[in-house]
């Protein structure tokens, strides 16, 4: 393919919300070199969306921040890999991987359904498969531009017993699925602005990628492993709306002579169609091992009623739940509204709330 360039420039607008995939003037699409594949459709489609006139502010100057690499179809990304999030468009860096079990109810849709049980609505037999996620840092410059689509303080910890605050959050920490990584390289020795970047990573130009883990990162990962670990991911699609749920156990607290167990759950909503829809209501069922079944209804989620469109197809948020039992289950529905005023319900895949049997004291904020 003579005349093609192997890589294309990656540029970011100074106050442009996407700050991600615009190409500089004269740059060409990533194309094959010696038979290598071109940039996958997700990247080119995202680039076209972010380059559209409705998103670009007139008079804003784009600056080159790096060049794309071909995304990995096999294998994992290493610590220090720079990337763009293919859905939310932020810049980030990989800290370390997690091997999760993905329970995809869409894959199991052909299996016969069982009678309803406390684990969910007409549960199907779903077998998990191994899937790679990454613990990442988000560039602080991009946080204001994604805050309406994804929470940037979603990773939380329980505070100490004697602390008046219930939760601590680590700003700019996220979990990213392997297929959402669009890798790139940069000549900048500090390409990501985050207070933990230089504390966790060291520049080493002899390495690829040229950022290696400091001992600080290794110690932090080991000490906080029980409260950071991503183990199970649940996914289901209803009428082209895909719901992905990731639960995290946070720890146990004593309150009024009883034990209270806490979990955080992260939910991502994706519109796989071109039709515009808006989330209006949530309906949760929460079953506790103690035998209680709670119903929770309300408007929207986390105070919002997000619109999912072709231009902005996804919304991600985190919330919390507590039980007076060491385990339980959650499931439910989201009610969406179409432009014509009609409504439809989207299933939330049932997921387990499990505690750690060999529990230690949860950390307070950053634990070194």
């Amino acid at each position: 393919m003579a005349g093609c360039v192997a890589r294309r420039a990656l540029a970011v607008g100074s106050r442009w919300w996407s700050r991600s995939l615009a190409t500089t003037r004269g740059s060409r699409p990533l194309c094959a070199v010696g038979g290598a594949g071109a940039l996958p459709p997700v990247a080119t489609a995202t680039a076209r969306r972010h380059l559209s006139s409705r998103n670009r502010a007139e008079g804003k100057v784009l600056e080159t921040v790096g060049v794309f690499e071909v995304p990995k179809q096999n294998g994992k990304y290493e610590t220090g890999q720079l990337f763009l999030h293919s859905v939310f468009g932020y810049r980030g860096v990989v800290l370390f991987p997690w091997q999760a079990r993905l329970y995809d109810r869409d894959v199991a849709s052909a299996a016969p359904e069982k009678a309803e049980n406390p684990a969910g609505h007409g549960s199907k037999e779903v077998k998990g498969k191994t899937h790679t996620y990454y613990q990442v840092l988000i560039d602080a410059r991009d946080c204001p531009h994604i805050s309406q689509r994804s929470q940037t303080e979603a990773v939380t910890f329980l505070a100490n017993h004697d602390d008046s605050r219930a939760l601590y959050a680590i700003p700019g920490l996220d979990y990213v699925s392997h297929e959402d990584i669009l890798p790139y390289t940069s000549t900048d020795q500090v390409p990501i602005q985050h207070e933990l970047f230089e504390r966790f990573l060291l520049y080493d130009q002899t390495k690829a990628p040229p950022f290696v883990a400091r001992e600080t990162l290794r110690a932090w990962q080991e000490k906080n492993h029980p409260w950071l670990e991503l183990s199970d991911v649940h996914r289901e699609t209803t009428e082209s709306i895909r719901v992905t749920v990731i639960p995290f156990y946070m720890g146990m607290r004593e309150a009024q002579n009883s034990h209270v167990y806490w979990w955080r759950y992260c939910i991502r909503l994706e519109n796989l169609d071109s039709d515009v829809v808006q989330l209006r209501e949530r309906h949760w069922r929460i079953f506790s091992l103690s035998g209680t079944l709670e119903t929770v209804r309300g408007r929207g989620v986390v105070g919002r009623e997000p619109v999912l469109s072709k231009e902005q197809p996804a919304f991600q948020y985190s919330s919390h739940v507590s039980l007076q039992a060491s385990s339980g289950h959650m499931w439910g529905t989201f009610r969406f509204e179409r432009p014509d005023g009609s409504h439809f319900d989207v299933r939330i895949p049932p997921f387990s709330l499990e505690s750690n049997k060999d529990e230690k004291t949860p950390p307070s904020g950053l634990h070194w």
Side-chain angles (χ1 to χ4, degrees), residues 116-347:
E116 185 166 340
N117 58 63
H121 40 73
S123 288
K124 305 167 185 172
E125 190 69 33
V126 183
K127 294 183 179 180
K129 65 176 182 178
T130 302
H131 194 78
T132 303
Y133 277 74
Y134 300 93
Q135 196 85 67
V136 308
L137 295 179
I138 303 173
D139 195 309
R141 294 168 293 185
D142 296 341
C143 288
H145 304 280
I146 65 171
S147 61
Q148 295 302 310
R149 312 305 302 177
S150 178
Q151 293 173 319
T152 57
E153 296 188 6
V155 180
T156 51
F157 295 94
L158 285 180
N160 286 332
H161 289 273
D162 55 356
D163 197 310
S164 59
R165 292 173 292 181
L167 299 171
Y168 281 91
I170 302 180
L173 192 66
D174 200 4
Y175 295 84
V176 180
S177 180
H178 183 87
E179 65 268 21
D180 288 337
I181 297 285
L182 295 178
Y184 74 93
T185 61
S186 172
T187 57
D188 192 343
Q189 294 188 19
V190 187
I192 301 297
Q193 291 190 11
H194 191 287
E195 60 180 346
L196 297 177
F197 183 86
E198 292 182 273
R199 193 167 186 176
F200 281 168
L201 299 169
L202 176 68
Y203 180 75
D204 184 346
Q205 62 180 353
T206 67
K207 304 293 185 180
F211 304 99
V212 296
R214 294 180 183 268
E215 185 57 37
T216 312
L217 174 58
R218 298 189 187 97
W220 181 79
Q221 178 185 3
E222 180 179 357
K223 197 146 193 174
N224 295 283
H225 184 279
W227 324 111
L228 289 170
E229 183 180 13
L230 186 160
S231 58
D232 294 337
V233 180
H234 304 266
R235 180 184 295 166
E236 184 168 5
T237 303
T238 307
E239 296 198 35
S240 298
I241 304 299
R242 178 194 289 161
V243 180
T244 304
V245 184
I246 308 176
F248 300 87
Y249 177 60
M250 300 178 67
M252 181 269 294
R253 287 287 182 265
E254 294 183 6
Q256 299 178 347
N257 299 320
S258 66
H259 292 168
V260 179
Y261 298 82
W262 285 84
W263 290 265
R264 176 179 78 252
Y265 55 92
C266 177
I267 292 186
R268 178 159 137 183
L269 305 169
E270 295 176 87
N271 185 356
L272 306 180
D273 201 352
S274 58
D275 295 336
V276 178
V277 295
Q278 183 170 12
L279 190 155
R280 290 300 193 185
E281 300 176 14
R282 67 187 185 279
H283 177 203
W284 282 107
R285 303 276 278 176
I286 306 169
F287 175 78
S288 170
L289 186 64
S290 63
T292 61
L293 180 61
E294 182 181 2
T295 298
V296 178
R297 295 180 181 271
R299 296 286 296 181
V301 291
V302 292
R304 301 181 187 178
E305 297 181 22
V307 174
L308 304 182
S309 63
K310 185 176 180 179
E311 292 74 22
Q312 302 288 342
F315 180 80
Q316 182 171 292
Y317 76 97
S318 287
S319 191
H320 304 84
V321 62
S322 62
L323 301 176
Q324 291 186 335
S326 59
S327 64
H329 291 89
M330 291 180 65
W331 68 97
T333 57
F334 291 120
R335 175 154 293 186
F336 279 83
E337 183 178 346
R338 302 183 181 91
D340 62 6
S342 62
H343 296 83
F344 64 99
D345 289 336
V346 170
R347 291 184 296 274

